[in-house]
Amino acid sequence: MSNKRVYTFGNGQAEGKADMKNLLGGKGANLAEMNLIGVPVPAGFTITTEVCTEYNLKGKEAVVELMKAEVEAGVAATEKVMNAKFGSTGEAFPLLLSVRSGARASMPGMMNTVLNLGMNDDAVKIIAEKSGNEQFAYDSYRRFIHMYGDVVMGVEAEEGQHNPFEVVLDELKESKGYKLDTELTVEDLKVLVEGYKAVVREHAGVDFPTNPWDQLWGAVCAVFDSWNTERAILYRRMEQIPDEWGTAVNVQAMVYGNMGETSATGVCFSRDAATGEDQFNGEYLINAQGEDVVAGVRTPLEITTIGSKRWAERNGTSEEDRKANFLSMEEAMPELYAELNETQQKLEDHYSDMQDMEFTIQDGKLWMLQTRAGKRTGAAMVKMAIDMLAEGMIDEKTAVLRQEPNKLDELLHPVFDGAAIAAAKELSKGLPASPGAATGQVVFSAEAAEQWAADGKKVILVRRETSPEDLKGMYAAEGILTERGGMTSHAAVVARGMGKCCISSAAGLTVSGKSMSIDGVEYKEGDFISLNGTTGIVYEGKVATITPSLDGDFGKMMELAEKNTRMYVRTNADSPADAQTAREFGAKGIGLCRTEHMFFEGDRIWKMREMILAETVEGREEALAKLLPIQREDFYGILKAMDGFGVTIRLLDPPLHEFTPNDLESQKEMAEKLGVDVKVVTEKVEGLHEFNPMLGHRGCRLGNTYPEITVMQARAIIEAACDLKKEGFDPKPEIMVPLIGTVKELKMQEELIRSTAAKVFEEKGMKVDYMVGTMIEIPRAALTANEVAEVAEFFSFGTNDLTQMTFGYSRDDAGKFLPIYIEKGILKQDPFQALDQTGVGQLVEMGCEKGRSARPELKLGICGEHGGEPSSVEFCHRTGLDYVSCSPFRVPIARLAAAQANLR
C-alpha cells in the first residue's frame, strides 16, 4: 500500500483525479475530478480504500493513530479554503462536515453517511448568531443528532417499531397540528434537540458526544464499519463486488440547503435512468438537506418544467394547481437552474456517460456534491449506448462494453397484456419509479418478503418508504410499492439498479403495520395486487402478462455484438418452439437437445415403460419400434426449426428408474395399463433402484448395456435428417454420447451409431452429413481427452455434472451448505451458477488442449447452465471454445458477453 492515506481537494485543486477510483473510491475520485475541471465543489479530503483494509486488519485504535496527522492536516486545508473553523468557539464561522462512504463501485444507500458533523450546544449558538438564521442552526443540529445517533451510536428502530427519533418528531408535529417539517418553529426545534438527546441517552446509555474531533473519529470509523453490514454484504453479492475492495471515506465541508427559501437540495440525472430518454431530469426540495430527497420523507418537486408537467399529468394535477403549488426549479429558480443545466451537460460530456448528481444551493450559490455514472434499467442502458454512439459521444467498443449482460434479462421480462389491463380495476396512481410489470401478494416487511419468496410465493413489498435495511426484501420481491418518496428516493434508485418494478408515492395509500389502505379500502398481507412500473398504476388482483416485443435499439445492440464476436451462441432446446424462440434471439444452433424430456409427453411414457418391463432384446426392440416414429417426428421438428445450423442431440441420459412410478397406486395403474401383474412392476422398480443414481446406470452405460436404445435413437435422428434433406432443407445433426469416462465406451456407441446411419442411408438411397461426439462431464474424460478425440468429432462440456464430480457436491443437496460456504468465504460464489475457473476450468482447458492435440479441427462447446453466465462465457472465449449454449432467454445475454470477451 502507498504511505499516503489522505487526499485533499478544493478551490479548483485536487491531489486525486478520475482514474484513481481503486484508491479513492468512485465518489472521491469524481470529487477530485470535478474540482480539476472547474465545477464548484465544497472542499474536503478522501481517506483511501486501503485504510479500510488496514482498519479491518488492525482495528480502530491502531488505524486512527496511523492516519491522525493526515486527517488533521486535511481538516486544516478545508478550513482554509472554506474560511471556517472546525470546533470554533466564536473566532470564526464553525466548519461543519459531512462524512460519506465511497467504494470504487457505486453502492447507493448501502453504507453510512453523517451530515452536520461538528455541531454542539456552542456551535449551534455561534451559527445562529453569525448566519442570522436561528431556524437553520437548530434544524441542522436536530438532524445531526438523529443521523449520528442512528449511524454511529446504533439508536435505531426495533423490529416492527418506528425509529425512536421519528416518534419524537411525529408526536411534536401531531401536538402542534403540523403536516410538514418546515412548519417547525425555532422553539419547536430546540425542544426536538433536547428530545433527541434524551433518546440517545435512553437507547445508547451515554450522553451525546459534544467534542467535534470525537464526533469525526466516530463517524469515520462508522463508515468503515458499514462496509461489513448485512445490507452492504448482500448488495456486494448481488452486484459481484469483491469484499476486499473496501470503501473510502469522504470528509467534506457542509453546505446548507436548509438556510431558507433561497436554499435547496436535489438529485438529478443527465438522462432518464428509467427509459434512457435524452432528457435532463431530477427532483429538488427548497429549504431541505440531501437526505430529505433520497429518504422519501418529503415528496420532492421536479427540476425541469417538462418533468413537472409530466408529473402533473400523471398525478391528475391541473396546470393552475401545479403553477401555484408545485413549481419546477426551472420556473422557481431560473438562473440557478440554467447554471445546474450547464453543469450537468458539462459533466456528461466530460465522462461520456449518463451522470447521477447531487447538488445543494446555499443562499443562492450552487454546489455540486457528487457525480457518478448513473444506475439505469436494462432498456435505458441499451438506448443510451445506441443514442450516444449515434451522437458520436462514444465508439462501438465502448457501446458494447458499457452493457451489463445480465441487465438484458429485464428487456425479456413479461409485460401486462393490453386486454387484461383494460379489464383490471385501477386502485391508485403513483410515480413510475422503475419500469416493468409485477403481480404478487402484498407483504409489509423485508423479512416477510424474504420468507414468502423462499416458500415459492410471488410478493409485492409495500412500505411507507424503503431504507437500506429493506434490501433483502426488495431483492426477494417481484415489485415495490411505497407510500412516500420520489423518483430519486432510495426505493427508486435501488429498484432501477435491480431491474425491479417500483411505484413510489402512490396516491391515497396509507401503510400501517401488516395492512394498507387505498382511499379507505383495506388490504391485508397476502392480498394480490399488480404494479405497472412504466405507468405508475396499481391494479387490484392478478393481471395477465405477455412476452414483450424487442425494439430497434435492442436489435442494434445485438448487431454490434454480432459484429464484434468470435465465439457464437447456441441454445439448449427440446422442442421446435424453444428452438424457434432462441433462433429469433440470434442462436446459431442447438448445443443440447435432451431426448429424455420427449418421453414424458402424453402417452409416450407408457411405451417407454413397456420397453423397461421387457425382459428380452426382442421385447425391448418391439417397444422401441413404437417409440421410433415419435422420436423421428421430434427430431424432424427441431432440425427443421434450426435449419442450416448444427443441432447437438444427446442420447438417453437418465437412469431408467426415472421413468417408473415409486408409489404403489401408480405401480398398480402401470400394471393394469400394460396388462401385467403388479408384482412384475414392483419387482422391476425395485431392481432399478440405485443408491447413487447420478453415478449409476445412466448415459452411455445404458446404451452399451441396452444397445437397442442407441440404435433406435440414431435411426430416428438420421431418418429425420434424410426426410428434411429430401424436402430441400439443410439439417446438421450432431449425435452426442453422454457420460463417457473411457474412450472404449464412446467407441462402442460410435460404431452402433455409424452402422445404423449406414443402413438408413442404404434404405433411403441418400446421405446426410452428421457428426458423432461426446459430452465431457466426467473428470477422467477431460484427463484422457486426447484419446477420446480420436473417436469424437466434437466435445461439449457438460459443466453441471463436471462441477458435481470435480467438487464432489450433489447439486440437489448443495443448497444446505453452499450459502454458508459463501457467507464464510470458503467459496466466493456458487460453482453451479458461475463456472469454477480454477478447478473445473482447469479440466475444461486440459480437455480442449488435449482434444485438439489429437484432432486439430475438433469442435468445442459448453452446454451446462454456465453457458449463459457472463463470467463463464468470458472464460470459454479465452479457452478457445467455438460456442456456448444456454436456455433460449439467456441467448442475448450470452451473445453480448461473448462480444465483450472478444473486445477485452
Side-chain angles (χ1 to χ4, degrees), residues 373-396:
K375 296 281 182 187
R376 60 205 74 179
T377 63
M381 172 186 76
V382 173
K383 177 171 173 54
M384 284 181 201
I386 295 299
D387 285 354
M388 288 176 180
L389 177 63
E391 293 161 18
M393 184 180 282
I394 58 175
D395 59 17
E396 284 188 4

Side-chain angles (χ1 to χ4, degrees), residues 689-724:
H689 172 74
E690 293 179 304
F691 289 104
N692 191 345
M694 195 196 97
L695 299 178
H697 193 187
R698 56 173 282 229
C700 68
R701 300 157 198 169
L702 272 178
N704 283 328
T705 49
Y706 301 123
E708 53 274 15
I709 296 176
T710 299
V711 169
M712 182 277 288
Q713 290 200 297
R715 173 172 281 276
I717 294 165
I718 299 300
E719 284 184 354
C722 287
D723 291 348
L724 282 165

Side-chain angles (χ1 to χ4, degrees), residues 234-524:
L234 176 63
Y235 189 85
R236 288 202 296 276
R237 281 201 200 124
M238 285 162 41
E239 298 291 320
Q240 297 185 329
I241 297 169
D243 289 340
E244 59 269 21
W245 278 6
T247 181
V249 179
N250 297 289
V251 180
Q252 201 173 3
M254 279 296 299
V255 287
Y256 308 98
N258 59 329
M259 287 188 78
E261 295 304 304
T262 58
S263 299
T265 189
V267 175
C268 57
F269 299 87
S270 60
R271 300 189 187 216
D272 192 312
T275 67
E277 181 188 9
D278 186 7
Q279 174 65 55
F280 177 44
N281 66 97
E283 296 172 327
Y284 82 113
L285 281 168
I286 290 174
N287 196 18
Q289 287 198 337
E291 290 301 302
D292 296 343
V293 179
V294 296
V297 176
R298 282 168 62 189
T299 300
L301 303 169
E302 293 287 330
I303 286 176
T304 64
T305 304
I306 187 171
S308 181
K309 287 182 175 179
R310 287 177 179 178
W311 169 84
E313 188 179 339
R314 284 194 304 264
N315 217 39
T317 301
S318 69
E319 180 62 6
E320 291 74 24
D321 188 16
R322 187 194 73 79
K323 280 191 166 180
N325 299 300
F326 305 105
L327 273 185
S328 67
M329 182 179 169
E330 187 175 359
E331 295 162 298
M333 300 176 159
E335 290 178 7
L336 285 161
Y337 167 80
E339 186 183 350
L340 177 64
N341 190 28
E342 185 182 327
T343 302
Q344 66 87 14
Q345 192 61 56
K346 179 177 185 175
L347 288 169
E348 178 175 285
D349 290 345
H350 181 75
Y351 287 100
S352 299
D353 198 1
M354 185 270 277
Q355 295 299 293
D356 166 1
M357 297 152 283
E358 293 178 17
F359 67 91
T360 286
I361 295 166
Q362 176 180 305
D363 205 14
K365 177 170 173 55
L366 174 69
W367 294 94
M368 301 303 294
L369 306 182
Q370 174 173 304
T371 192
R372 61 186 172 195
K375 296 281 182 187
R376 60 205 74 179
T377 63
M381 172 186 76
V382 173
K383 177 171 173 54
M384 284 181 201
I386 295 299
D387 285 354
M388 288 176 180
L389 177 63
E391 293 161 18
M393 184 180 282
I394 58 175
D395 59 17
E396 284 188 4
K397 180 178 179 180
T398 304
V400 173
L401 290 177
R402 189 167 282 174
Q403 306 304 292
E404 294 177 50
N406 282 329
K407 271 193 173 289
L408 289 186
D409 202 27
E410 296 168 31
L411 278 69
L412 312 173
H413 283 180
V415 294
F416 285 134
D417 177 69
I421 282 287
K425 179 183 176 184
E426 188 175 320
L427 296 178
S428 175
K429 194 167 187 181
L431 298 173
S434 185
T439 291
Q441 294 171 276
V442 296
V443 292
F444 299 93
S445 71
E447 292 72 24
E450 193 177 27
Q451 184 58 58
W452 285 44
D455 293 340
K457 297 173 181 174
K458 294 185 183 296
V459 299
I460 305 290
L461 178 62
V462 182
R463 303 286 281 153
R464 285 180 78 189
E465 69 270 334
T466 66
S467 72
E469 281 73 24
D470 292 318
L471 185 67
K472 285 191 296 186
M474 296 173 76
Y475 184 62
E478 301 296 307
I480 299 124
L481 174 66
T482 67
E483 178 183 333
R484 308 194 296 204
M487 297 285 281
T488 55
S489 66
H490 175 268
V493 171
V494 174
R496 283 197 292 270
M498 286 183 180
K500 298 273 182 184
C501 165
C502 177
I503 297 173
S504 56
S505 216
L509 172 66
T510 305
V511 180
S512 177
K514 288 192 175 183
S515 69
M516 67 177 188
S517 65
I518 299 177
D519 294 330
V521 179
E522 188 177 18
Y523 295 86
K524 293 188 170 140

Side-chain angles (χ1 to χ4, degrees), residues 584-858:
E584 287 167 8
F585 285 145
K588 294 182 175 180
I590 291 177
L592 178 62
C593 173
R594 293 158 286 221
T595 56
E596 61 270 11
H597 288 187
M598 301 166 178
F599 294 127
F600 287 99
E601 291 178 23
D603 63 354
R604 300 176 181 196
I605 190 70
W606 298 108
K607 296 180 176 66
M608 188 66 179
R609 288 172 174 174
E610 186 182 336
M611 188 276 295
I612 291 169
L613 283 182
E615 294 296 334
T616 64
V617 172
E618 293 77 19
R620 284 192 291 275
E621 286 178 338
E622 187 180 329
L624 288 165
K626 297 174 185 176
L627 284 168
L628 173 64
I630 297 169
Q631 283 267 274
R632 183 172 58 233
E633 187 183 341
D634 288 332
F635 298 139
Y636 176 94
I638 286 172
L639 288 164
K640 184 177 179 181
M642 211 44 92
D643 184 51
F645 291 122
V647 175
T648 302
I649 300 167
R650 182 177 72 186
L651 299 180
L652 191 64
D653 183 47
L656 294 179
H657 76 80
E658 289 195 10
F659 299 98
T660 59
N662 291 317
D663 63 286
L664 186 59
E665 282 306 309
S666 299
Q667 289 171 4
K668 285 178 181 175
E669 183 192 3
M670 177 175 166
E672 190 179 326
K673 187 96 173 174
L674 299 178
V676 297
D677 191 281
V678 69
K679 190 178 177 186
V680 174
V681 175
T682 55
E683 285 178 355
K684 175 59 76 171
V685 171
E686 285 169 13
L688 291 172
H689 172 74
E690 293 179 304
F691 289 104
N692 191 345
M694 195 196 97
L695 299 178
H697 193 187
R698 56 173 282 229
C700 68
R701 300 157 198 169
L702 272 178
N704 283 328
T705 49
Y706 301 123
E708 53 274 15
I709 296 176
T710 299
V711 169
M712 182 277 288
Q713 290 200 297
R715 173 172 281 276
I717 294 165
I718 299 300
E719 284 184 354
C722 287
D723 291 348
L724 282 165
K725 186 172 181 181
K726 195 173 179 181
E727 293 172 24
F729 291 97
D730 182 21
K732 295 183 182 295
E734 300 170 357
I735 302 172
M736 181 162 72
V737 179
L739 211 74
I740 69 112
T742 74
V743 68
K744 286 185 178 178
E745 288 177 302
L746 174 61
K747 183 65 179 168
M748 192 173 286
Q749 288 286 285
E750 188 238 8
E751 287 171 354
L752 280 172
I753 294 163
R754 295 213 183 274
S755 63
T756 303
K759 286 177 188 172
V760 174
F761 293 156
E762 192 176 338
E763 292 164 14
K764 297 274 187 182
M766 63 186 298
K767 287 188 175 184
V768 291
D769 291 331
Y770 72 98
M771 298 174 79
V772 178
T774 190
M775 205 168 190
I776 304 290
E777 49 195 326
I778 292 178
R780 192 181 189 282
L783 294 168
T784 60
N786 51 323
E787 295 176 8
V788 176
E790 289 174 7
V791 178
E793 294 173 290
F794 67 87
F795 286 174
S796 178
F797 290 92
T799 50
N800 296 344
D801 273 1
L802 191 58
T803 298
Q804 289 197 92
M805 296 196 200
T806 304
F807 274 97
Y809 297 164
S810 160
R811 188 167 54 153
D812 296 328
D813 301 311
K816 295 172 184 173
F817 61 86
L818 273 183
I820 298 163
Y821 268 35
I822 291 164
E823 187 181 318
K824 293 190 171 182
I826 296 170
L827 293 174
K828 285 200 171 182
Q829 51 197 344
D830 184 339
F832 294 108
Q833 292 181 5
L835 186 68
D836 162 46
Q837 298 180 20
T838 310
V840 179
Q842 195 174 150
L843 287 171
V844 174
E845 289 169 332
M846 188 183 299
C848 293
E849 190 180 328
K850 287 194 165 197
R852 282 194 170 147
S853 72
R855 188 187 291 264
E857 73 282 9
L858 184 72

